[in-house]
Amino acid sequence: MLYHPDKHRDPELKLQAERLFNLVHQAYEVLSDPQTRAIYDIYGRRGLEMEGWEVVERKRTPAEIREEFERLQREREERRLQQRTNPKGTISVGIDATDLFDRYDEEYEDVQGSSFPQIEINKMHISQSIEAPLTSTDTAILSGNLSTQNGNGGGSINLAFRRVTSAKGWGEKIGIAVLTNFLECPMKRAPGDLEFGAGDLQGPLFGLKIFRNLTPRCFITTNCALQFSSRGIRPGLTTVLARNLDKNTMGYLQWRWGIQSAMNTSVVRDTKTSHFTVALQLGIPHSFMMVSYQHKFQDEDQTRIKGSLKAGFFGTIVEYGAERKISRHSILGATVSVGVPQGVSLKIKLNRASQTYFFPVHLTDQLLPSAVFYATVGPLVIYFAMHRLIIKPYLRAQKERELEKQRESTASDILQKKQEAEAAVRLMQESVRRIIEAEEARMGLIVVNAWYGKFVNDNSRKNEKVKVIDVTVPLQCLVKDSKLILTEASKAGLPGFYDPCVGEEKSLKVLYQFRGVLHQVMSADNEALRIPKQCK
């Protein structure tokens, strides 16, 4: 009724009313048709834009429409099947920095002509894997790795096939691996795939991995392997039984037979704010007990601090560290490891999307307080300096570029929305005048002033202060029976509104009069609002 062209005699207002009335008419056409309304109610505009609805039989129920939409989605996903992979990679670079602290030992023998500490890379490891979905249940996995330590190295390449047999289980059924050895570096292989391998020190290898849900709260995984070598056939079997003890706690029992036989039991508790693990292993050659705790801070950077204690036949190790999100896809962490007889090490890890970069730095073989101090304080000082001087300015500039790009891409659409909002406000003037007269007569709700957008303080730049628009008239037009009710949705879509600051946080500030008393309220963009507030 507000936008009907016959209600406006002014030619300019009549033209604006026709344009807005057509938008209302389009919405009416969607909502008045049971089929298109069901599509819109379930999937929104995205569902209406999906190709293929023209072949759908009319007069279908919402459930049938949902099934048809899911079928169209599956067909589109199948077309993209060959283009999708799940790449994962790890690069580890071991650094020997013991010369930094050992040179202060009385028994240290200085190398003639060397006045600077000798820091060298003593080991490296590179691994990479990709997945290629073949069907909805079959996946091919290609992976490989290269390792070297003190001049000795080796590598492998693996091809495996995984099949999901049912909702309760899956198996990695076929695999091929080719191993190569450089000098005399024996390779350690993770159990799992059914594989065939060939190498100088290791012969062919076959493996099978099976997963099965026993109950809704319990599952089992089994890894079988046969390693063929010059010493004969070396079988191996690993079985893990896991059970949900409660909502946040898992219990694991592991039995490994063959190479490095052992029995392991562990309990893992993971909540929103913490992660706790306790484990006990009895085996050959290593038996140990381990306790670790991680605290998760509820901040934007997802900061975590962690500590662990591990004691066994090999000695005792204490580790502590922290990790923090430094960008949208990157997490940086550092851990200090102090142990007997391992000494002191600093481990730096960077996770970038699905890639992991790991840098273990061995500082000393002894328990030196100076090494522990510098391993703890050094990374903190470097991180805060880099965060303040490099990371923070870079992220701020990146955010500005993204916002500017978003503004440019939506400039024409926002301009159109602004013109429609201004036209709507002009068409609302007469209705708002009548609403105000009725509210004044009953001492009801009168919107004195209302602003929508990004609110800034006086210390901000002047050009930021224009990111607020006056929405007094549109809000007063929404008042009915001395009440204003806004639902949980962006207010930029309300009649007479538009987005004045694309990509930035927005709020609505309202100064209103009710029963002759002035009130003020501010709500977030997607927050529901009710004026006046109901008394409990």
Side-chain angles (χ1 to χ4, degrees):
M1 293 176 61
L2 180 64
Y3 298 149
H4 200 287
D6 295 343
K7 296 177 65 67
H8 305 278
R9 297 181 179 180
D10 184 272
E12 183 178 353
L13 292 179
K14 191 179 184 69
L15 183 62
Q16 295 172 352
E18 288 178 353
R19 184 168 63 253
L20 296 176
F21 187 79
N22 287 335
L23 295 176
V24 178
H25 180 65
Q26 292 175 9
Y28 175 78
E29 287 184 336
V30 171
L31 300 180
S32 60
D33 187 307
Q35 184 192 29
T36 56
R37 178 169 187 142
I39 297 171
Y40 181 80
D41 287 344
I42 299 172
Y43 303 106
R45 287 191 176 184
R46 184 170 61 94
L48 295 174
E49 296 171 356
M50 175 65 66
E51 297 180 358
W53 290 115
E54 62 274 4
V55 300
V56 178
E57 183 182 355
R58 308 290 290 184
K59 299 180 181 180
R60 286 196 172 188
T61 65
E64 293 172 332
I65 292 175
R66 178 187 293 272
E67 292 176 358
E68 188 66 19
F69 180 84
E70 292 173 350
R71 182 188 66 80
L72 295 174
Q73 285 281 62
R74 286 195 299 269
E75 290 179 356
R76 185 170 62 177
E77 289 300 321
E78 289 175 359
R79 289 194 297 267
R80 298 177 180 177
L81 197 58
Q82 299 299 326
Q83 302 176 359
R84 296 187 306 174
T85 60
N86 183 24
K88 296 179 182 178
T90 300
I91 297 178
S92 177
V93 180
I95 301 174
D96 184 359
T98 55
D99 200 43
L100 286 172
F101 296 94
D102 290 348
R103 63 175 41 241
Y104 299 104
D105 190 9
E106 295 180 355
E107 300 179 357
Y108 176 77
E109 297 181 1
D110 194 6
V111 179
Q112 187 176 2
S114 175
S115 59
F116 295 97
Q118 299 295 315
I119 300 176
E120 59 182 19
I121 296 176
N122 59 357
K123 58 183 177 180
M124 293 184 65
H125 175 81
I126 300 175
S127 63
Q128 185 72 33
S129 68
I130 58 173
E131 296 182 3
L134 304 177
T135 66
S136 59
T137 59
D138 296 332
T139 303
I141 305 169
L142 179 65
S143 62
N145 65 78
L146 290 171
S147 299
T148 179
Q149 182 172 359
N150 296 326
N152 300 330
S156 68
I157 183 169
N158 312 299
L159 176 62
F161 293 89
R162 176 183 298 159
R163 165 164 289 186
V164 179
T165 56
S166 67
K168 293 184 177 182
W170 54 266
E172 293 183 356
K173 309 187 74 173
I174 302 176
I176 300 174
V178 178
L179 306 178
T180 58
N181 292 274
F182 308 101
L183 299 181
E184 296 181 9
C185 177
M187 296 297 300
K188 294 182 179 179
R189 297 197 44 76
D193 308 331
L194 176 59
E195 299 173 333
F196 169 75
D200 296 336
L201 299 179
Q202 291 182 337
L205 181 142
F206 294 91
L208 176 65
K209 186 178 193 177
I210 299 174
F211 169 89
R212 182 75 177 177
N213 280 317
L214 303 179
T215 68
R217 300 181 61 183
C218 182
F219 67 87
I220 186 173
T221 61
T222 300
N223 304 306
C224 305
L226 288 176
Q227 176 72 63
F228 296 85
S229 66
S230 57
R231 300 177 182 178
I233 300 176
R234 303 174 64 185
L237 175 66
T238 301
T239 300
V240 179
L241 178 65
R243 179 178 174 81
N244 281 98
L245 303 180
D246 61 33
K247 181 180 179 181
N248 301 307
T249 308
M250 288 287 296
Y252 297 91
L253 290 173
Q254 182 187 72
W255 176 58
R256 186 168 63 244
W257 172 76
I259 305 173
Q260 295 186 350
S261 299
M263 293 187 66
N264 182 293
T265 179
S266 60
V267 176
V268 179
R269 180 170 178 80
D270 190 14
T271 66
K272 186 178 181 180
T273 59
S274 64
H275 183 92
F276 175 77
T277 302
V278 58
L280 175 64
Q281 175 173 301
L282 299 175
I284 302 173
H286 296 306
S287 295
F288 64 86
M289 181 176 181
M290 188 268 290
V291 178
S292 69
Y293 177 79
Q294 183 180 98
H295 183 75
K296 308 173 186 177
F297 292 92
Q298 303 303 305
D299 57 357
E300 294 182 357
D301 296 326
Q302 301 177 8
T303 305
R304 300 183 180 187
I305 58 174
K306 53 188 177 181
S308 67
L309 171 63
K310 188 175 182 180
F313 293 162
F314 53 83
T316 302
I317 298 176
V318 176
E319 292 188 345
Y320 58 91
E323 65 178 37
R324 194 175 194 183
K325 187 176 182 180
I326 59 175
S327 69
R328 183 177 179 183
H329 302 290
S330 301
I331 298 177
L332 179 64
T335 303
V336 179
S337 177
V338 182
V340 178
Q342 290 81 6
V344 182
S345 298
L346 172 64
K347 304 173 183 178
I348 301 173
K349 184 171 69 172
L350 174 65
N351 289 330
R352 174 69 179 174
S354 59
Q355 303 295 314
T356 300
Y357 304 91
F358 187 53
F359 303 92
V361 183
H362 188 47
L363 299 177
T364 178
D365 294 326
Q366 307 174 47
L367 293 182
L368 298 179
S370 58
V372 177
F373 174 79
Y374 285 111
T376 304
V377 177
L380 291 175
V381 174
I382 295 174
Y383 168 76
F384 284 112
M386 292 183 60
H387 186 268
R388 186 175 183 85
L389 300 177
I390 300 176
I391 298 176
K392 200 170 181 179
Y394 171 77
L395 293 178
R396 188 186 303 115
Q398 186 181 45
K399 184 178 181 181
E400 288 295 330
R401 288 194 298 269
E402 291 177 354
L403 288 176
E404 186 62 30
K405 186 177 180 180
Q406 188 176 2
R407 293 190 194 104
E408 291 177 357
S409 62
T410 59
S412 59
D413 184 55
I414 294 299
L415 179 60
Q416 181 182 354
K417 296 292 184 183
K418 180 180 179 181
Q419 294 173 348
E420 292 176 356
E422 292 173 347
V425 170
R426 287 192 289 269
L427 297 174
M428 293 176 182
Q429 297 292 343
E430 184 63 26
S431 297
V432 169
R433 184 184 63 79
R434 292 195 299 267
I435 292 173
I436 292 177
E437 290 177 355
E439 293 297 326
E440 287 178 342
R442 67 176 73 167
M443 295 287 289
L445 176 60
I446 298 177
V447 179
V448 179
N449 280 305
W451 302 271
Y452 174 67
K454 180 181 179 181
F455 291 86
V456 294
N457 53 43
D458 296 333
N459 297 326
S460 299
R461 295 173 296 180
K462 293 182 179 181
N463 60 348
E464 291 186 350
K465 295 186 177 181
V466 299
K467 296 181 180 179
V468 177
I469 59 174
D470 189 333
V471 290
T472 306
V473 172
L475 280 188
Q476 187 68 66
C477 192
L478 295 174
V479 173
K480 185 177 181 181
D481 298 330
S482 298
K483 296 178 183 178
L484 175 62
I485 301 175
L486 303 180
T487 59
E488 294 182 354
S490 175
K491 298 171 179 61
L494 294 174
F497 282 64
Y498 68 93
D499 193 343
C501 45
V502 177
E504 301 183 62
E505 293 185 2
K506 294 171 281 291
S507 301
L508 175 65
K509 184 177 182 181
V510 184
L511 178 65
Y512 65 95
Q513 180 177 308
F514 184 70
R515 299 287 187 257
V517 181
L518 282 175
H519 302 271
Q520 182 174 293
V521 64
M522 178 175 284
S523 69
D525 187 24
N526 292 288
E527 183 182 358
L529 178 65
R530 182 185 178 94
I531 299 177
K533 294 185 177 180
Q534 291 180 323
C535 296
K536 296 183 180 179

